Amino acid sequence: MVTITDVARRAGVSPSTVSYALSGKRPISDATRLRVQAAVRELGYRADVGGRARGHRSGVLALAVPMRSGIHVPVVTQFAVSVVTAARAHDHDVLLLTQEEGEEGIGRVAETGLADGVILTDVQLQDSRLPLLRSRSLPSVLIGLPAEPEGLTCVDLDFRAAGELCVEHLARLGHRTVALVGSPPEVYVRRTAFARRLVDGFTSAADRHRLTSTVHPCGTGADAARAVAERLLRELPALTGVVVHNEPLVDPLLDAFEHLGLRVPGDVSLVAVCPAPVAATARTPVTSVAVPSAELGTRAVRLLIRKLSGAPVPGTTLLPPRLTQRASTAPRGV
Amino acid sequence: MVTITDVARRAGVSPSTVSYALSGKRPISDATRLRVQAAVRELGYRADVGGRARGHRSGVLALAVPMRSGIHVPVVTQFAVSVVTAARAHDHDVLLLTQEEGEEGIGRVAETGLADGVILTDVQLQDSRLPLLRSRSLPSVLIGLPAEPEGLTCVDLDFRAAGELCVEHLARLGHRTVALVGSPPEVYVRRTAFARRLVDGFTSAADRHRLTSTVHPCGTGADAARAVAERLLRELPALTGVVVHNEPLVDPLLDAFEHLGLRVPGDVSLVAVCPAPVAATARTPVTSVAVPSAELGTRAVRLLIRKLSGAPVPGTTLLPPRLTQRASTAPRGV
DNA sequence: CTGAAAGCGCTAACAC
DNA sequence: GTGTTAGCGCTTTCAG
């Protein structure tokens, strides 16, 4: 293994000079810096983690991801990939924590100095991990919005605005009776923040526009889709606008309507809240508000890195939703 | 932060005794060990990573996962989850490397001591990372099988046997003309090992049973599915047995056959090589050979941990394929 | 069975 | 602008 002392010898300077030349924490003459850099290259030197950690920076970011039902896998994977990519761009690595570990994982990471900071996903309204984050001084960024985000750094899609945007799109097309097909019930039971916020936005926009509306959680699978579709139409025979916030249900729902003799968008308009690729590659391309998983991951990393550098960061960042019109929505009665 | 010295003071012993009591690297009397353990609990001590690294063990396993087209996301996620879970069970954490980093990521991890070992997924026949693995003494386990696995530790599904198993199942049902719908062409171009091995197994079993057979790579999406289905039938009008090794294509392919007026399994029998949940939840439950992602991840971790402990490990472990009969296969002409 | 002491590779306070 | 030196928290000789 090549140490900082090896580099120092090779460059004809002291170890500390090498350290400073590399970290830039104090001015070094161009001449020596160049010699140091050359020595580093020639020897293939890389700072050992153990030593560096004394300087209180492991260069690692922890990412806590959920792995339980009701969470859609591709979204999580998108987070992970974008987080790793962004972290690498800032010269950091990523340690993967599963949510199952919960507080324990965060505690371990914080106390052993394994990671410099942590990014949490799948944040609940009352998240059990938040007290830990507030008490320990472990820098953190949440992807998601808890009930009381004061003092925390959060980034998320503005799901409330997303719900409103969907309704407004349908209202503008003349639809008067709308339904929201939501996530599986357990998501609401756990009080996952984003699901509730979407419902709020949906409901309040529907009220504002004086639309008749209803909300149904829904599990996944063709049977569940068929069941909600039937229930919806029984309950609201005048239904012509549907918002679906349940990624794996988009295709089954399209099938279900077709099966009931309803054409999309001829008889029913459908707008989905889901990752853009899902909407674009559905059986019928679906008008959608995109969940920008990759951007959320990238933003979270940027915020955390800034936080680690001591710079001030905004408390909550809500990305504005954007609706992309595709083939699944049309004016009512056309 | 609570250090080993704090614990030592509290327990009334020397720091080294605490170290030994915790690592078990030399015999400690029950009395002192108990006192040490009590002190650890009371103080909430956890060994700092920086210090521990001196002992040349970071307690971290690196996992390199691919993120590019042609790789099905859920499989990768399954690896990740099972690896993290298994690693935790062995008191290790997991560092996430993306394949895009390639050699660089492995080099960094090896030289900085960030991780003690690495698990590689998506191994190619001629994998550019293998020389690195052999030259550095970084302990590693591959999920997948390269062309020359000598001196490496590999674990994978026996894809060759899986291909054979599918054909034998169809042959036993009386099918005489069979086709393999494979992964997207780029997978073969990259010479990903598992895809080739499946083709080999499929082909040789078909020959052995004197079946007429053909192999077609195929991209994803409904259009691609329809296109291969049509091509297949044009090329082999007598076709009654199909093997699909392309996870996201299972449903579209079922659709495509239906669209062509062919019932499954009435006219065509379909067997898939994919994760069990995909096969079980398809529009028609599909007879399948499971890709046991979770078990592969778990095994990889176990092997790596054993390797780190210096114990001997087997070179290559190929898990025997298992076929689960579901509703998509039936005797020919029934 | 236990302690004292010498490092490990690195950073940072303290010189010059 | 650079070198010397004193740690950091831990493991591991070396000595009893």
Side-chain angles (χ1 to χ4, degrees), chain A residues 45-244:
Chain A
Y45 167 75
R46 322 183 82 136
D48 180 270
V49 157
R52 180 216 305 255
R54 290 285 78 59
H56 283 193
R57 278 257 135 41
S58 66
V60 173
L61 270 28
L63 172 68
V65 301
M67 263 327 293
R68 58 165 169 300
S69 69
I71 303 293
H72 201 57
V73 169
V75 172
V76 171
T77 310
Q78 265 303 331
F79 281 151
V81 170
S82 62
V83 164
V84 173
T85 307
R88 285 307 308 144
H90 294 272
D91 254 302
H92 282 249
D93 271 292
V94 174
L95 194 82
L96 197 59
L97 261 28
T98 64
Q99 215 89 300
E100 281 54 52
E101 281 219 81
E103 292 104 295
E104 155 58 17
I106 296 176
R108 178 161 35 88
V109 150
E111 286 166 25
T112 62
L114 232 193
D116 297 332
V118 58
I119 294 175
L120 300 190
T121 64
D122 189 39
V123 175
Q124 315 288 300
L125 278 175
Q126 307 293 338
D127 200 296
S128 60
R129 301 165 296 179
L130 302 189
L132 234 170
L133 291 182
R134 301 192 201 256
S135 68
R136 326 225 170 245
S137 56
L138 181 69
S140 61
V141 172
L142 318 194
I143 297 181
L145 198 57
E148 284 159 14
E150 294 77 29
L152 300 168
T153 307
C154 310
V155 53
D156 203 356
L157 173 66
D158 189 338
F159 276 96
R160 190 171 212 292
E164 293 174 345
L165 188 55
C166 292
V167 170
E168 272 149 21
H169 176 69
L170 291 172
R172 200 169 303 125
L173 290 171
H175 299 279
R176 306 299 305 159
T177 307
V178 298
L180 170 61
V181 175
S183 304
E186 61 263 35
V187 171
Y188 297 92
V189 171
R190 269 192 279 113
R191 306 181 59 84
T192 301
F194 73 91
R196 299 291 270 243
R197 284 187 283 133
L198 187 97
V199 171
D200 288 350
F202 173 87
T203 306
S204 73
D207 291 351
R208 197 162 53 242
H209 288 273
R210 307 195 183 288
L211 307 187
T212 305
S213 73
T214 184
V215 174
H216 280 290
C218 184
T220 56
D223 295 345
R226 203 158 290 179
V228 259
E230 282 169 9
R231 261 234 315 259
L232 248 33
L233 290 169
R234 216 178 312 122
E235 190 181 317
L236 296 175
L239 181 73
T240 61
V242 174
V243 176
V244 55

Side-chain angles (χ1 to χ4, degrees), chain B residues 309-322:
Chain B
S309 77
V313 297
T316 295
T317 309
L318 288 184
L319 304 186
R322 292 210 312 214

Side-chain angles (χ1 to χ4, degrees), chain B:
Chain B
M1 181 196 197
V2 32
T3 78
I4 202 172
T5 314
D6 298 331
V7 177
R9 217 176 352 244
R10 172 82 160 213
V13 296
S14 77
S16 64
T17 300
V18 174
S19 177
Y20 286 122
L22 259 28
S23 72
K25 290 195 181 173
R26 85 178 183 192
I28 298 285
S29 73
D30 286 4
T32 37
R33 194 184 26 262
L34 256 35
R35 261 184 307 136
V36 167
Q37 283 165 350
V40 165
R41 251 195 315 280
E42 287 159 25
L43 268 39
Y45 168 75
R46 323 182 81 136
D48 181 90
V49 157
R52 181 214 305 255
R54 289 289 76 60
H56 282 193
R57 279 254 137 36
S58 67
V60 173
L61 270 27
L63 172 68
V65 301
M67 266 325 294
R68 56 166 158 341
S69 70
I71 303 294
H72 201 59
V73 170
V75 173
V76 171
T77 310
Q78 265 305 330
F79 281 150
V81 170
S82 62
V83 164
V84 172
T85 306
R88 284 308 306 146
H90 294 271
D91 255 302
H92 281 250
D93 270 291
V94 173
L95 195 81
L96 197 58
L97 262 28
T98 63
Q99 215 90 300
E100 280 54 53
E101 281 219 81
E103 292 104 295
E104 155 59 15
I106 295 174
R108 178 160 36 88
V109 150
E111 286 166 25
T112 62
L114 232 192
D116 298 331
V118 59
I119 294 174
L120 300 190
T121 64
D122 190 38
V123 175
Q124 316 289 299
L125 277 175
Q126 308 293 339
D127 201 294
S128 60
R129 301 164 297 178
L130 301 189
L132 233 170
L133 254 31
R134 300 191 202 258
S135 68
R136 326 227 167 239
S137 56
L138 181 68
S140 61
V141 172
L142 318 194
I143 296 180
L145 198 57
E148 284 159 14
E150 293 77 29
L152 299 169
T153 306
C154 310
V155 52
D156 204 356
L157 173 65
D158 189 338
F159 276 96
R160 190 170 212 292
E164 294 174 345
L165 188 55
C166 292
V167 170
E168 273 149 21
H169 176 70
L170 292 173
R172 199 168 305 125
L173 290 171
H175 299 279
R176 306 298 307 158
T177 307
V178 298
L180 170 62
V181 176
S183 305
E186 61 263 35
V187 171
Y188 297 93
V189 171
R190 269 193 277 115
R191 306 180 60 83
T192 301
F194 72 91
R196 299 290 269 243
R197 284 186 285 133
L198 186 97
V199 171
D200 289 349
F202 173 87
T203 307
S204 74
D207 291 352
R208 196 162 54 241
H209 289 272
R210 308 195 183 289
L211 307 186
T212 306
S213 73
T214 184
V215 173
H216 280 288
C218 183
T220 57
D223 294 347
R226 203 159 291 179
V228 258
E230 281 169 7
R231 261 232 316 259
L232 248 33
L233 290 170
R234 216 178 313 122
E235 191 181 317
L236 297 175
L239 180 73
T240 61
V242 174
V243 176
V244 55
H245 181 206
N246 186 327
E247 189 180 327
L249 208 66
V250 174
D251 265 332
L253 206 54
L254 283 169
D255 284 349
F257 284 128
E258 194 179 328
H259 208 81
L260 292 172
L262 297 176
R263 285 158 312 138
V264 174
D267 300 309
V268 174
S269 281
L270 183 69
V271 28
V273 179
C274 67
V278 172
T281 65
R283 204 175 316 301
T284 304
V286 172
T287 296
S288 75
V289 170
V291 176
S293 325
E295 180 169 7
L296 289 172
T298 306
R299 291 233 185 197
V301 169
R302 277 210 294 258
L303 287 166
L304 186 49
I305 294 281
R306 281 188 53 193
K307 227 173 172 178
L308 292 176
S309 77
V313 297
T316 295
T317 309
L318 288 184
L319 304 186
R322 292 210 312 214
L323 185 140
T324 303
Q325 169 121 32
R326 296 197 183 82
S328 69
T329 51
R332 178 165 68 121
V334 171

Side-chain angles (χ1 to χ4, degrees), chain A residues 14 16-17 26-29 32 54:
Chain A
S14 78
S16 65
T17 300
R26 84 179 184 193
I28 298 285
S29 74
T32 40
R54 290 285 78 59

